[in-house]
Amino acid sequence: VSLAEERGIDCEFRFFKREELVRIMQSADLYVHTAVVEIEAIACMEAICCGLVPVICNSKRSATRFFSLGERNLFEQNDFSDLAAKIDYWYEHPEEKDECSKAYAPLRTSFSQERCMMLMEDMMKETMSCYEEEHILQGSAE
């Protein structure tokens, strides 16, 4: 925060409840993901589900970069000029931004909370089934 204040940048750093985060994302024009290290990419998935086009840090230590659909969705790590150019591009080409948002549409259904919970439930049922089969087989071998 002090660096932002030093540079006269009006910003806010805080945590949001999921519902509030979704509301904020639904009012945004673009999603910029600056994390250099990340393994779960949840914020980016939420942004994509809200219809936003992501601009993602191209860090080798971040799983989020794999959500990029092309070079215009990635900026080079610590390259502020590249990040600014990508942001400017999407604002200067709103039709392409709309097309890119549509290209992310198939991912939206696969990331819905309902679908993820259904898949998790299926995974747990399958795990229990395998566990039970293994123990039944072990019991019959004794």
Side-chain angles (χ1 to χ4, degrees), residues 47-81:
I48 290 169
C49 288
C50 288
L52 294 174
V53 171
V55 178
I56 304 163
C57 179
N58 191 16
S59 168
K60 290 181 173 42
R61 297 177 300 190
S62 175
T64 310
R65 68 190 166 107
F66 294 107
F67 288 105
S68 165
L69 294 182
E71 287 185 32
R72 299 221 187 272
N73 296 105
L74 289 173
F75 69 93
E76 292 308 311
Q77 182 179 332
N78 297 322
D79 188 338
F80 306 107
S81 297

Side-chain angles (χ1 to χ4, degrees), residues 22-34:
V22 169
R23 185 179 48 74
I24 290 167
M25 286 185 180
Q26 288 172 335
S27 68
D29 297 318
L30 198 63
Y31 174 75
V32 178
H33 191 88
T34 58

